[in-house]
């Protein structure tokens, strides 16, 4: 049976009506950039993963979370108060953004998919990505945009309203042809499944090898299956 860890909540801060950061005690637990905690919900059974945004040398765990209305965990976690206790498993997970043996990398995120890059930023500020494409629906959801755009060449892609001057109105997938494609560039993709698979396919169609494309899928949208063809009437021999 997997043993749960327990940590006290230190802080919850909402940046928008739906996006918040929760800070927990770290209790000296080791982790690597890109890892996540699996938080155990109030029923003791439901578990959801959240990537760490804090740095390797900090003595706290932070996670940047989008509250999903009606969701089992994200609204509950956002209502935690300092001193409350949270049960979790981990840190764990294979995603290692920015860790490509010294090779340069581009980071492409939608929404809170920016979280693992924040952990890299706090851990290795001397190794910024060559490009960051950061997709959000509304400008206010682009948390830490000022910090990140001051650190690396960043294009904000805003699908639901006009972006700040010099940025893109639309999706990250509209401007993939602005990415540097030559080896040894790596690509770290994080967020929703549609974006990740579209970017991965686009890169592979342009000859980027699979082992230079890395991803962490936060959410897989349920797919509607095409309707089954009508059943043929049974044939009873001639
Ligand atoms: C490795 C990993 C790391 C992750 N890291 C983060 C992170 O750093 N920050 C973060 O905010 N999330 C992260 N997630 C997503 C997170 O684990 C949850 O899936 C999310 O918070 C929803 O959980 P919930 O219990 O609130 O909603 P649920 O009860 O799971 O879902 C409620 C309803 O909303 C739908 N839904 C769930 N998620 C989404 C979504 N993102 N968009 C649209 N509809 C959705 C579901 O299909 C369901 O119908 C990560 C996921 C993985 C696998």
């Amino acid at each position: 049976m997997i043993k749960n860890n327990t940590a006290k909540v230190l802080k919850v801060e909402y940046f928008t009506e739906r996006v918040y950061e929760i800070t927990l005690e770290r209790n000296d637990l080791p982790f690597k950039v890109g890892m996540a905690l699996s938080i155990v919900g109030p029923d003791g059974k439901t578990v959801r993963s959240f990537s760490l945004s804090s740095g390797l040398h900090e003595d706290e765990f932070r996670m940047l979370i989008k509250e999903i209305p009606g969701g089992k965990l994200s609204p509950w976690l956002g209502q935690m108060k300092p001193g409350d206790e949270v049960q979790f498993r981990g840190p764990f997970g294979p995603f290692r953004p920015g860790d490509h043996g010294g090779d340069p990398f581009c980071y492409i995120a939608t929404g809170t998919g920016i979280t693992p890059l924040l952990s890299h930023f706090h851990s290795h500020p001397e190794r910024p990505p060559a490009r960051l494409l950061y997709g959000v629906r509304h400008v206010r959801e682009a948390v830490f945009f000022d910090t990140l755009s001051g650190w690396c060449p960043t294009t904000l892609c805003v699908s639901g309203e006009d972006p700040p001057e010099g940025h893109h109105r639309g999706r990250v997938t509209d401007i993939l042809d602005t990415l540097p494609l030559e080896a040894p560039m790596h690509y770290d993709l994080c967020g929703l499944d549609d974006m990740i698979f579209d970017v991965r396919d686009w890169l592979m169609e342009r000859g980027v090898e699979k082992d230079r494309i890395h991803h962490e899928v936060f959410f897989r949208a349920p797919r509607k299956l095409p309707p089954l063809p009508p059943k043929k009437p049974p044939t009873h021999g001639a």
Side-chain angles (χ1 to χ4, degrees):
M1 194 171 146
I2 304 170
K3 194 178 154 285
N4 292 341
N5 291 308
T6 304
K8 277 206 169 71
V9 174
L10 300 176
K11 197 166 106 178
V12 176
E13 184 180 0
Y14 272 78
F15 298 121
T16 73
E17 66 278 17
R18 292 260 176 84
V19 179
Y20 64 90
E21 185 180 64
I22 184 166
T23 308
L24 306 181
E25 290 174 331
R26 177 169 171 182
N27 296 327
D28 296 326
L29 280 176
F31 77 103
K32 293 188 171 146
V33 170
M35 284 188 171
L37 302 185
S38 275
I39 304 281
V40 182
D43 60 5
K45 287 186 277 188
T46 309
V47 173
R48 299 281 184 271
S49 297
F50 297 99
S51 301
L52 290 163
S53 61
S54 43
L56 298 178
H57 310 296
E58 300 183 62
D59 59 6
E60 59 189 30
F61 280 148
R62 288 191 305 280
M63 290 161 283
L64 185 69
I65 296 177
K66 177 161 184 186
E67 190 179 305
I68 303 294
K72 284 196 176 154
L73 245 85
S74 55
W76 166 78
L77 203 53
Q79 295 314 304
M80 290 274 156
K81 300 279 172 278
D84 287 348
E85 288 194 335
V86 173
Q87 304 245 309
F88 66 94
R89 298 169 195 158
F92 70 95
F95 188 50
R96 295 286 176 273
D99 184 10
H100 309 300
D103 286 347
F105 71 105
C106 295
Y107 195 93
I108 302 158
T110 45
T112 52
I114 202 68
T115 304
L117 184 67
L118 292 170
S119 182
H120 176 77
F121 166 77
H122 292 298
S123 306
H124 304 293
E126 74 290 357
R127 291 189 349 227
R131 277 297 301 284
L132 166 62
L133 304 186
Y134 186 2
V136 288
R137 189 161 301 155
H138 300 286
V139 176
R140 65 180 182 282
E141 293 166 354
V143 289
F144 301 109
F145 167 66
D146 289 342
T147 308
L148 294 170
S149 59
W151 177 53
C152 64
T154 301
T155 305
L156 190 63
C157 302
V158 186
S159 59
E161 63 193 12
D162 283 340
E165 209 186 322
H167 293 269
H168 176 69
R169 168 92 199 238
R171 297 175 187 277
V172 293
T173 43
D174 303 337
I175 57 164
L176 296 176
D177 55 6
T178 65
L179 290 174
L181 288 182
E182 58 285 355
M185 188 66 71
H186 284 248
Y187 305 86
D188 293 316
L189 323 175
C190 189
L192 302 182
D193 56 352
D194 274 349
M195 179 281 279
I196 288 176
F197 299 135
D198 286 353
V199 176
R200 182 199 59 188
D201 292 350
W202 188 93
L203 289 169
M204 286 175 64
E205 277 161 24
R206 275 143 194 91
V208 175
E209 303 83 359
K210 248 186 173 169
D211 60 2
R212 289 197 281 131
I213 307 171
H214 319 272
H215 64 257
E216 181 85 283
V217 177
F218 276 7
F219 176 65
R220 285 175 195 268
R223 305 273 171 246
K224 277 197 185 131
L225 294 172
L228 291 169
K231 270 192 181 162
K232 281 190 190 152
T235 49
H236 300 289

